[in-house]
Amino acid sequence: MTTDIKIGKHALINPGCIISHDCRIGDFVNLGPGVSLAGWVTVEDGADLGVGAVVAPRCRIGAGAIVGAGAVVVRDVEPGATVVGVPARR
Ligand SMILES: CC(C)(COP(=O)(O)OP(=O)(O)OC[C@H]1O[C@@H](n2cnc3c(N)ncnc32)[C@H](O)[C@@H]1OP(=O)(O)O)[C@@H](O)C(=O)NCCC(=O)NCCS
């Protein structure tokens, strides 16, 4: 069960995504297949998360940021940044 998720306009949520409670997903976001968002995650407008990316609780993915395939985000990602790896780094 989950609750209180908000999804913006034209957001693309591919198959197999997990979106947990209290997430905020902005406009024109792309969540690749199998992306997992823990609770209280915010994905700002236009951010792009690659296949299988994982985002830890309460992290914020800044507008237009790119999260590489398979990355594990444990800290906020700055707007426009590209991060990859485990843990995800610029
Ligand atoms: C992160 C990403 C955007 C980078 O793309 P790019 O700028 O073209 O980067 P490159 O392929 O030139 O790779 C640059 C370096 O980053 C590394 N790298 C690229 N993607 C990586 C990833 N996901 N995880 C770890 N390292 C990665 C490459 O190995 C390379 O390292 P090197 O310089 O030591 O050889 C891309 O690789 C990616 O992960 N895209 C996700 C696509 C996806 O899942 N789409 C879903 C569509 S529904």
Side-chain angles (χ1 to χ4, degrees):
M1 191 182 82
T2 192
T3 184
D4 194 15
I5 293 167
K6 291 194 171 57
I7 299 176
K9 296 173 185 161
H10 305 286
L12 175 56
I13 298 173
N14 280 278
C17 289
I18 296 171
I19 301 173
S20 194
H21 60 91
D22 302 291
C23 283
R24 299 288 180 268
I25 297 172
D27 297 341
F28 297 99
V29 162
N30 179 48
L31 300 185
V35 165
S36 295
L37 306 182
W40 299 287
V41 164
T42 297
V43 184
E44 294 182 346
D45 293 350
D48 186 349
L49 281 66
V51 59
V54 172
V55 184
R58 300 184 187 279
C59 288
R60 174 178 293 266
I61 310 296
I66 296 173
V67 177
V72 176
V73 174
V74 296
R75 300 276 182 271
D76 291 355
V77 175
E78 304 231 330
T82 297
V83 298
V84 297
V86 181
R89 298 187 197 283
R90 287 188 86 140

Coordinates of all heavy atoms in Angstrom, one line a residue:
M1 N 0.8 -1.2 0.0 CA 0.0 0.0 0.0 C 0.9 1.2 0.0 O 1.9 1.2 0.6 CB -0.9 0.0 1.2 CG -2.0 1.0 1.2 SD -2.9 1.1 2.7 CE -1.9 2.0 3.7
T2 N 0.4 2.3 -0.7 CA 1.2 3.5 -0.6 C 0.1 4.7 -0.6 O -1.1 4.5 -0.8 CB 2.1 3.7 -1.8 OG1 3.0 4.7 -1.5 CG2 1.4 3.8 -3.1
T3 N 0.6 5.9 -0.4 CA -0.3 7.0 -0.2 C 0.4 8.3 -0.5 O 1.6 8.5 -0.5 CB -0.8 7.0 1.2 OG1 -1.8 8.0 1.3 CG2 0.3 7.3 2.2
D4 N -0.5 9.3 -0.9 CA 0.0 10.7 -1.1 C 1.1 10.9 -2.1 O 2.2 11.3 -1.7 CB 0.3 11.3 0.3 CG 0.4 12.8 0.1 OD1 0.0 13.4 -0.9 OD2 1.0 13.5 1.0
I5 N 0.9 10.5 -3.3 CA 1.9 10.6 -4.4 C 1.3 11.7 -5.3 O 0.1 11.6 -5.7 CB 2.1 9.3 -5.1 CG1 2.8 8.3 -4.2 CG2 2.9 9.5 -6.4 CD1 2.7 6.9 -4.8
K6 N 2.2 12.6 -5.8 CA 1.7 13.6 -6.8 C 2.6 13.5 -8.0 O 3.8 13.5 -7.9 CB 1.8 15.0 -6.2 CG 0.7 15.3 -5.1 CD 0.6 16.7 -4.8 CE -0.6 17.0 -3.9 NZ -0.6 16.2 -2.6
I7 N 2.0 13.4 -9.1 CA 2.7 13.2 -10.4 C 2.3 14.4 -11.4 O 1.1 14.6 -11.6 CB 2.3 11.9 -11.0 CG1 2.8 10.7 -10.1 CG2 3.0 11.7 -12.4 CD1 2.4 9.3 -10.5
G8 N 3.4 15.0 -11.9 CA 3.1 16.2 -12.8 C 2.7 15.8 -14.2 O 2.5 14.6 -14.5
K9 N 2.6 16.9 -15.0 CA 2.1 16.7 -16.4 C 3.2 16.1 -17.2 O 4.3 16.4 -17.1 CB 1.7 18.0 -17.0 CG 0.5 18.6 -16.2 CD 0.2 20.1 -16.7 CE -0.9 20.7 -15.9 NZ -0.9 22.1 -16.0
H10 N 2.7 15.2 -18.1 CA 3.6 14.6 -19.1 C 4.8 13.8 -18.5 O 5.8 13.6 -19.1 CB 4.2 15.6 -20.1 CG 3.1 16.4 -20.8 ND1 2.3 15.9 -21.8 CD2 2.7 17.7 -20.5 CE1 1.5 16.9 -22.1 NE2 1.7 17.9 -21.4
A11 N 4.6 13.4 -17.3 CA 5.6 12.5 -16.7 C 5.5 11.1 -17.3 O 4.4 10.6 -17.5 CB 5.4 12.4 -15.2
L12 N 6.7 10.5 -17.6 CA 6.7 9.2 -18.2 C 7.2 8.2 -17.2 O 8.4 8.3 -16.7 CB 7.7 9.2 -19.4 CG 7.9 7.9 -20.1 CD1 6.6 7.2 -20.6 CD2 8.8 8.1 -21.3
I13 N 6.4 7.3 -16.8 CA 6.7 6.3 -15.8 C 6.7 4.9 -16.5 O 5.6 4.4 -16.8 CB 5.7 6.4 -14.6 CG1 5.8 7.8 -14.0 CG2 6.0 5.3 -13.6 CD1 4.8 8.1 -12.9
N14 N 7.9 4.4 -16.7 CA 8.0 3.1 -17.4 C 7.7 1.9 -16.6 O 7.5 2.0 -15.3 CB 9.5 3.0 -17.9 CG 9.7 3.9 -19.2 OD1 9.4 3.4 -20.3 ND2 10.2 5.1 -19.0
P15 N 7.5 0.8 -17.2 CA 7.1 -0.4 -16.5 C 8.1 -0.8 -15.4 O 9.3 -0.6 -15.5 CB 7.1 -1.5 -17.6 CG 6.9 -0.8 -18.8 CD 7.6 0.5 -18.7
G16 N 7.5 -1.3 -14.3 CA 8.3 -1.8 -13.2 C 8.8 -0.8 -12.2 O 9.5 -1.2 -11.3
C17 N 8.3 0.4 -12.3 CA 8.8 1.4 -11.3 C 8.0 1.2 -10.0 O 6.9 0.8 -10.0 CB 8.4 2.8 -11.8 SG 9.5 3.4 -13.2
I18 N 8.8 1.5 -8.9 CA 8.2 1.5 -7.6 C 8.2 2.9 -7.1 O 9.3 3.6 -7.0 CB 9.0 0.6 -6.6 CG1 8.9 -0.9 -7.1 CG2 8.5 0.7 -5.2 CD1 9.8 -1.8 -6.4
I19 N 7.1 3.5 -6.7 CA 7.0 4.9 -6.2 C 6.3 4.8 -4.9 O 5.2 4.4 -4.7 CB 6.2 5.7 -7.2 CG1 6.8 5.8 -8.6 CG2 6.1 7.2 -6.6 CD1 6.0 6.5 -9.6
S20 N 7.1 5.1 -3.8 CA 6.6 4.9 -2.5 C 5.9 6.1 -2.0 O 5.7 7.1 -2.7 CB 7.8 4.5 -1.6 OG 7.3 4.0 -0.3
H21 N 5.5 6.1 -0.8 CA 4.6 7.1 -0.2 C 5.2 8.5 -0.2 O 6.4 8.7 -0.1 CB 4.3 6.7 1.2 CG 5.5 6.7 2.1 ND1 6.0 7.7 2.8 CD2 6.3 5.6 2.4 CE1 7.0 7.4 3.5 NE2 7.3 6.1 3.2
D22 N 4.4 9.5 -0.3 CA 4.7 10.9 -0.2 C 5.8 11.4 -1.2 O 6.5 12.4 -1.0 CB 5.3 11.2 1.2 CG 4.2 10.8 2.3 OD1 3.2 11.5 2.4 OD2 4.5 9.8 3.0
C23 N 5.8 10.7 -2.4 CA 6.7 11.2 -3.4 C 6.1 12.4 -4.2 O 4.8 12.4 -4.4 CB 7.1 10.1 -4.4 SG 8.3 8.9 -3.7
R24 N 6.9 13.2 -4.7 CA 6.5 14.3 -5.6 C 7.3 14.2 -6.9 O 8.5 14.2 -6.9 CB 6.8 15.7 -5.0 CG 6.1 15.9 -3.7 CD 4.6 16.1 -3.9 NE 3.9 16.3 -2.6 CZ 3.3 15.4 -2.0 NH1 3.4 14.1 -2.4 NH2 2.7 15.6 -0.8
I25 N 6.6 14.1 -8.0 CA 7.2 13.9 -9.3 C 6.7 15.1 -10.2 O 5.5 15.3 -10.4 CB 6.8 12.5 -9.9 CG1 7.4 11.4 -9.0 CG2 7.3 12.4 -11.4 CD1 6.9 10.1 -9.4
G26 N 7.7 15.8 -10.8 CA 7.4 17.0 -11.5 C 6.9 16.8 -12.9 O 6.8 15.6 -13.4
D27 N 6.8 17.9 -13.6 CA 6.4 17.8 -15.0 C 7.6 17.3 -15.9 O 8.7 17.6 -15.6 CB 6.0 19.2 -15.6 CG 4.8 19.8 -14.8 OD1 4.0 19.0 -14.2 OD2 4.6 21.0 -14.9
F28 N 7.3 16.5 -16.9 CA 8.2 16.1 -17.9 C 9.4 15.3 -17.3 O 10.5 15.2 -17.9 CB 8.8 17.3 -18.7 CG 7.7 18.0 -19.5 CD1 7.2 19.1 -19.1 CD2 7.3 17.5 -20.7 CE1 6.2 19.8 -19.8 CE2 6.3 18.1 -21.5 CZ 5.7 19.3 -21.0
V29 N 9.1 14.6 -16.2 CA 10.1 13.7 -15.6 C 10.0 12.4 -16.4 O 9.0 12.0 -16.9 CB 9.7 13.5 -14.2 CG1 10.4 12.2 -13.6 CG2 10.1 14.7 -13.3
N30 N 11.2 11.7 -16.6 CA 11.3 10.4 -17.1 C 11.8 9.4 -16.1 O 12.9 9.6 -15.6 CB 12.2 10.3 -18.3 CG 12.2 8.9 -18.9 OD1 11.2 8.3 -19.1 ND2 13.4 8.4 -19.2
L31 N 11.0 8.5 -15.7 CA 11.5 7.4 -14.8 C 11.7 6.2 -15.7 O 10.7 5.6 -16.2 CB 10.5 7.1 -13.7 CG 10.1 8.2 -12.7 CD1 9.2 7.7 -11.6 CD2 11.4 8.9 -12.1
G32 N 12.9 5.7 -15.9 CA 13.2 4.5 -16.7 C 12.6 3.3 -16.1 O 12.2 3.3 -14.9
P33 N 12.7 2.2 -16.8 CA 12.1 0.9 -16.3 C 12.7 0.5 -15.0 O 14.0 0.6 -14.8 CB 12.4 -0.1 -17.4 CG 12.6 0.8 -18.6 CD 13.2 2.1 -18.2
G34 N 11.9 0.1 -14.0 CA 12.4 -0.4 -12.8 C 13.0 0.6 -11.8 O 13.7 0.2 -10.9
V35 N 12.8 1.9 -12.0 CA 13.3 2.9 -11.1 C 12.5 2.7 -9.7 O 11.3 2.4 -9.7 CB 13.0 4.3 -11.6 CG1 13.2 5.3 -10.5 CG2 14.0 4.6 -12.7
S36 N 13.2 2.8 -8.6 CA 12.6 2.7 -7.3 C 12.8 4.0 -6.5 O 14.0 4.4 -6.3 CB 13.2 1.6 -6.5 OG 13.0 0.3 -7.1
L37 N 11.7 4.6 -6.1 CA 11.8 5.8 -5.3 C 11.3 5.4 -3.9 O 10.1 5.0 -3.7 CB 10.9 6.9 -5.9 CG 11.1 7.3 -7.3 CD1 10.1 8.4 -7.7 CD2 12.5 7.7 -7.6
A38 N 12.1 5.7 -2.9 CA 11.7 5.5 -1.5 C 10.7 6.6 -1.1 O 10.4 7.5 -1.9 CB 12.9 5.4 -0.6
G39 N 10.3 6.6 0.1 CA 9.4 7.6 0.6 C 9.9 9.0 0.6 O 11.1 9.2 0.8
W40 N 9.1 9.9 0.5 CA 9.4 11.4 0.6 C 10.4 11.8 -0.4 O 11.1 12.8 -0.2 CB 9.9 11.7 2.0 CG 8.9 11.5 3.1 CD1 7.8 12.2 3.4 CD2 9.0 10.4 4.1 NE1 7.2 11.6 4.5 CE2 7.9 10.6 4.9 CE3 9.9 9.4 4.3 CZ2 7.7 9.7 6.0 CZ3 9.7 8.6 5.4 CH2 8.6 8.8 6.2
V41 N 10.5 11.1 -1.6 CA 11.5 11.6 -2.6 C 10.8 12.6 -3.5 O 9.6 12.5 -3.8 CB 11.9 10.4 -3.5 CG1 12.5 10.8 -4.8 CG2 12.9 9.5 -2.7
T42 N 11.6 13.6 -3.9 CA 11.1 14.6 -4.8 C 11.9 14.6 -6.1 O 13.1 14.6 -6.0 CB 11.2 16.1 -4.2 OG1 10.3 16.1 -3.1 CG2 10.7 17.1 -5.2
V43 N 11.2 14.5 -7.2 CA 11.9 14.5 -8.5 C 11.4 15.8 -9.2 O 10.2 15.8 -9.6 CB 11.6 13.2 -9.3 CG1 12.4 13.3 -10.7 CG2 12.0 12.0 -8.6
E44 N 12.3 16.7 -9.4 CA 11.8 18.0 -10.0 C 11.7 17.9 -11.5 O 12.1 17.0 -12.1 CB 12.8 19.1 -9.6 CG 12.9 19.4 -8.1 CD 13.8 20.5 -7.7 OE1 14.6 20.9 -8.5 OE2 13.7 20.9 -6.5
D45 N 11.1 19.0 -12.0 CA 10.7 19.0 -13.5 C 11.9 18.6 -14.4 O 13.0 19.1 -14.2 CB 10.3 20.4 -13.9 CG 9.0 20.9 -13.2 OD1 8.3 20.0 -12.5 OD2 8.7 22.1 -13.3
G46 N 11.6 17.7 -15.3 CA 12.5 17.4 -16.4 C 13.6 16.5 -16.0 O 14.5 16.2 -16.9
A47 N 13.7 16.0 -14.8 CA 14.7 15.1 -14.4 C 14.5 13.8 -15.1 O 13.4 13.4 -15.4 CB 14.8 14.9 -12.9
D48 N 15.7 13.0 -15.3 CA 15.6 11.8 -16.1 C 16.4 10.7 -15.3 O 17.6 10.9 -15.1 CB 16.3 12.1 -17.5 CG 16.2 10.9 -18.4 OD1 15.9 9.8 -18.0 OD2 16.6 11.1 -19.6
L49 N 15.7 9.7 -14.9 CA 16.3 8.6 -14.1 C 16.4 7.4 -15.0 O 15.4 6.9 -15.5 CB 15.5 8.4 -12.9 CG 15.7 9.3 -11.7 CD1 15.2 10.7 -12.0 CD2 15.0 8.8 -10.4
G50 N 17.6 6.9 -15.1 CA 17.9 5.7 -16.0 C 17.4 4.4 -15.4 O 17.0 4.3 -14.2
V51 N 17.4 3.4 -16.2 CA 16.8 2.1 -15.8 C 17.4 1.6 -14.5 O 18.6 1.6 -14.3 CB 17.0 1.1 -17.0 CG1 18.5 0.9 -17.3 CG2 16.3 -0.2 -16.7
G52 N 16.6 1.2 -13.6 CA 17.0 0.5 -12.4 C 17.6 1.5 -11.3 O 18.1 1.0 -10.3
A53 N 17.5 2.8 -11.5 CA 18.0 3.7 -10.5 C 17.2 3.6 -9.2 O 16.0 3.3 -9.3 CB 18.0 5.1 -11.0
V54 N 17.9 3.8 -8.1 CA 17.3 3.7 -6.8 C 17.5 5.1 -6.1 O 18.6 5.6 -6.1 CB 17.9 2.6 -6.0 CG1 17.4 2.6 -4.5 CG2 17.6 1.2 -6.6
V55 N 16.5 5.6 -5.5 CA 16.6 6.9 -4.7 C 16.2 6.7 -3.3 O 15.1 6.2 -3.0 CB 15.8 8.0 -5.4 CG1 16.0 9.3 -4.7 CG2 16.1 8.1 -6.9
A56 N 17.1 7.0 -2.4 CA 16.9 6.8 -0.9 C 15.9 7.8 -0.4 O 15.6 8.8 -1.0 CB 18.2 6.8 -0.2
P57 N 15.3 7.5 0.8 CA 14.3 8.4 1.3 C 14.7 9.8 1.5 O 15.8 10.1 1.8 CB 14.0 7.8 2.7 CG 14.4 6.3 2.6 CD 15.6 6.3 1.6
R58 N 13.8 10.7 1.2 CA 13.9 12.1 1.3 C 14.8 12.8 0.4 O 15.1 14.0 0.5 CB 14.2 12.5 2.8 CG 13.2 12.0 3.8 CD 13.5 12.5 5.2 NE 12.6 11.8 6.2 CZ 11.4 12.2 6.5 NH1 10.9 13.3 5.9 NH2 10.7 11.6 7.3
C59 N 15.4 12.1 -0.5 CA 16.3 12.8 -1.5 C 15.5 13.6 -2.5 O 14.4 13.2 -2.8 CB 17.2 11.7 -2.2 SG 18.4 11.0 -1.2
R60 N 16.2 14.6 -3.0 CA 15.6 15.5 -4.0 C 16.5 15.4 -5.2 O 17.7 15.7 -5.2 CB 15.5 16.9 -3.5 CG 15.1 18.0 -4.5 CD 15.0 19.4 -3.8 NE 14.0 19.4 -2.8 CZ 12.7 19.8 -3.0 NH1 12.3 20.2 -4.2 NH2 11.8 19.8 -2.1
I61 N 15.8 15.1 -6.4 CA 16.5 15.1 -7.7 C 16.2 16.5 -8.3 O 15.0 16.7 -8.6 CB 16.1 13.9 -8.5 CG1 16.1 12.6 -7.8 CG2 16.9 13.9 -9.8 CD1 17.5 12.2 -7.3
G62 N 17.2 17.3 -8.5 CA 17.0 18.6 -9.0 C 16.5 18.7 -10.5 O 16.6 17.7 -11.2
A63 N 15.9 19.8 -10.8 CA 15.3 19.9 -12.2 C 16.4 19.7 -13.2 O 17.5 20.2 -13.2 CB 14.8 21.4 -12.3
G64 N 16.0 18.9 -14.2 CA 16.8 18.6 -15.3 C 18.0 17.7 -15.0 O 18.9 17.5 -15.9
A65 N 18.1 17.2 -13.9 CA 19.2 16.3 -13.5 C 19.1 15.0 -14.3 O 18.0 14.6 -14.6 CB 19.3 16.1 -12.0
I66 N 20.2 14.3 -14.5 CA 20.3 13.0 -15.1 C 20.9 12.0 -14.0 O 22.0 12.2 -13.5 CB 21.1 12.9 -16.4 CG1 20.4 13.8 -17.4 CG2 21.2 11.5 -16.9 CD1 21.3 14.0 -18.7
V67 N 20.1 10.9 -13.8 CA 20.6 9.9 -12.9 C 20.9 8.6 -13.8 O 20.0 8.1 -14.4 CB 19.6 9.5 -11.8 CG1 20.1 8.4 -10.9 CG2 19.3 10.8 -10.9
G68 N 22.1 8.2 -13.8 CA 22.5 7.1 -14.7 C 21.8 5.8 -14.3 O 21.4 5.5 -13.2
A69 N 21.8 4.9 -15.3 CA 21.3 3.5 -15.1 C 21.9 2.9 -13.9 O 23.2 2.9 -13.8 CB 21.5 2.7 -16.4
G70 N 21.2 2.3 -13.0 CA 21.7 1.5 -11.9 C 22.3 2.3 -10.8 O 22.8 1.7 -9.8
A71 N 22.2 3.6 -10.8 CA 22.7 4.5 -9.8 C 21.9 4.3 -8.5 O 20.7 4.0 -8.6 CB 22.8 5.9 -10.2
V72 N 22.6 4.5 -7.4 CA 21.9 4.6 -6.1 C 22.1 5.9 -5.5 O 23.2 6.3 -5.0 CB 22.4 3.5 -5.1 CG1 21.7 3.6 -3.8 CG2 22.1 2.1 -5.7
V73 N 21.0 6.7 -5.4 CA 21.1 8.1 -5.0 C 20.9 8.1 -3.5 O 19.8 7.7 -3.0 CB 20.1 9.0 -5.7 CG1 20.0 10.4 -5.1 CG2 20.4 9.1 -7.2
V74 N 21.9 8.6 -2.7 CA 21.7 8.7 -1.2 C 21.8 10.1 -0.7 O 21.7 10.4 0.5 CB 22.7 7.8 -0.5 CG1 22.5 6.4 -0.9 CG2 24.1 8.2 -0.8
R75 N 22.0 11.1 -1.6 CA 22.1 12.5 -1.3 C 21.3 13.3 -2.3 O 21.1 12.8 -3.4 CB 23.5 13.0 -1.3 CG 24.5 12.3 -0.3 CD 24.4 12.9 1.1 NE 25.3 12.2 2.0 CZ 25.0 11.2 2.8 NH1 23.8 10.6 2.6 NH2 25.8 10.6 3.6
D76 N 20.9 14.5 -2.0 CA 20.3 15.3 -3.0 C 21.2 15.5 -4.3 O 22.4 15.6 -4.2 CB 20.0 16.7 -2.5 CG 18.9 16.7 -1.4 OD1 18.3 15.6 -1.1 OD2 18.6 17.8 -0.8
V77 N 20.5 15.6 -5.4 CA 21.2 15.8 -6.7 C 20.9 17.2 -7.2 O 19.7 17.6 -7.2 CB 20.8 14.8 -7.8 CG1 21.4 15.1 -9.1 CG2 21.1 13.4 -7.3
E78 N 22.0 18.0 -7.5 CA 21.8 19.4 -7.9 C 21.1 19.5 -9.2 O 21.2 18.6 -10.1 CB 23.1 20.0 -8.0 CG 24.0 19.9 -6.8 CD 24.5 21.3 -6.4 OE1 24.8 22.1 -7.3 OE2 24.7 21.5 -5.2
P79 N 20.3 20.5 -9.4 CA 19.7 20.7 -10.7 C 20.7 20.7 -11.9 O 21.8 21.3 -11.7 CB 19.0 22.1 -10.6 CG 18.8 22.3 -9.1 CD 20.0 21.6 -8.5
G80 N 20.4 20.0 -12.9 CA 21.2 19.9 -14.1 C 22.4 19.0 -14.0 O 23.1 18.8 -15.0
A81 N 22.6 18.4 -12.8 CA 23.8 17.5 -12.6 C 23.5 16.1 -13.3 O 22.4 15.7 -13.4 CB 24.1 17.3 -11.2
T82 N 24.6 15.5 -13.6 CA 24.6 14.0 -14.0 C 25.3 13.2 -13.0 O 26.4 13.6 -12.6 CB 25.2 13.8 -15.4 OG1 24.5 14.5 -16.4 CG2 25.2 12.3 -15.8
V83 N 24.7 12.2 -12.4 CA 25.3 11.4 -11.4 C 25.2 9.9 -11.9 O 24.2 9.5 -12.5 CB 24.7 11.6 -10.0 CG1 24.8 13.0 -9.5 CG2 23.2 11.2 -10.0
V84 N 26.2 9.1 -11.5 CA 26.2 7.7 -11.8 C 26.8 7.0 -10.6 O 27.5 7.5 -9.8 CB 27.0 7.4 -13.0 CG1 26.4 8.0 -14.3 CG2 28.5 7.8 -12.9
G85 N 26.6 5.7 -10.5 CA 27.3 4.8 -9.6 C 26.6 4.6 -8.3 O 25.5 5.1 -8.0
V86 N 27.3 3.8 -7.4 CA 26.8 3.5 -6.1 C 27.9 3.8 -5.1 O 28.9 3.2 -5.1 CB 26.5 2.0 -6.0 CG1 25.9 1.6 -4.7 CG2 25.5 1.6 -7.1
P87 N 27.7 4.8 -4.2 CA 26.6 5.7 -4.2 C 26.8 6.7 -5.4 O 27.9 6.9 -5.9 CB 26.7 6.5 -2.9 CG 28.2 6.4 -2.6 CD 28.6 5.1 -3.1
A88 N 25.7 7.3 -5.8 CA 25.7 8.2 -7.0 C 26.6 9.4 -6.8 O 26.4 10.1 -5.7 CB 24.3 8.5 -7.4
R89 N 27.5 9.7 -7.7 CA 28.3 10.9 -7.7 C 28.3 11.5 -9.0 O 28.1 10.9 -10.0 CB 29.8 10.5 -7.3 CG 29.9 9.8 -5.9 CD 31.3 9.7 -5.6 NE 31.5 8.7 -4.5 CZ 31.3 8.9 -3.2 NH1 30.9 10.1 -2.8 NH2 31.5 8.0 -2.3
R90 N 28.7 12.8 -9.0 CA 28.7 13.6 -10.3 C 29.8 13.0 -11.2 O 30.9 12.6 -10.7 CB 29.0 15.0 -10.0 CG 27.9 15.8 -9.5 CD 28.1 17.3 -9.4 NE 27.8 17.9 -10.7 CZ 27.2 19.1 -10.7 NH1 26.8 19.7 -9.7 NH2 26.9 19.6 -11.9
Ligands
LIG1 C1 24.6 8.4 -17.3 C2 24.4 8.4 -18.8 C3 23.3 9.4 -19.2 C4 25.8 8.9 -19.4 O1 25.8 8.9 -20.8 P1 27.0 9.6 -21.5 O2 27.2 11.0 -21.1 O3 26.8 9.3 -23.0 O4 28.2 8.9 -20.9 P2 29.3 7.9 -21.6 O5 28.6 6.7 -22.2 O6 30.1 8.7 -22.5 O7 30.1 7.4 -20.4 C5 31.0 8.3 -19.7 C6 31.6 7.5 -18.5 O8 30.6 7.3 -17.5 C7 30.5 5.8 -17.3 N1 29.1 5.6 -17.2 C8 28.1 5.8 -18.1 N2 26.9 5.5 -17.6 C9 27.1 4.9 -16.4 C10 26.3 4.4 -15.4 N3 25.0 4.3 -15.6 N4 26.9 3.9 -14.3 C11 28.2 4.0 -14.1 N5 29.1 4.5 -15.0 C12 28.5 5.0 -16.1 C13 31.1 5.2 -18.6 O9 31.6 3.9 -18.3 C14 32.2 6.2 -18.9 O10 33.3 5.9 -18.0 P3 34.8 6.1 -18.5 O11 34.9 7.5 -18.9 O12 35.6 5.7 -17.3 O13 34.9 5.2 -19.7 C15 24.1 7.1 -19.5 O14 25.2 6.2 -19.5 C16 22.9 6.3 -18.7 O15 23.1 5.6 -17.7 N6 21.7 6.6 -19.3 C17 20.5 5.9 -18.8 C18 19.7 5.5 -20.0 C19 18.4 4.8 -19.6 O16 18.4 4.0 -18.7 N7 17.3 5.1 -20.3 C20 16.0 4.6 -20.0 C21 15.1 4.9 -21.1 S1 13.5 4.5 -20.8

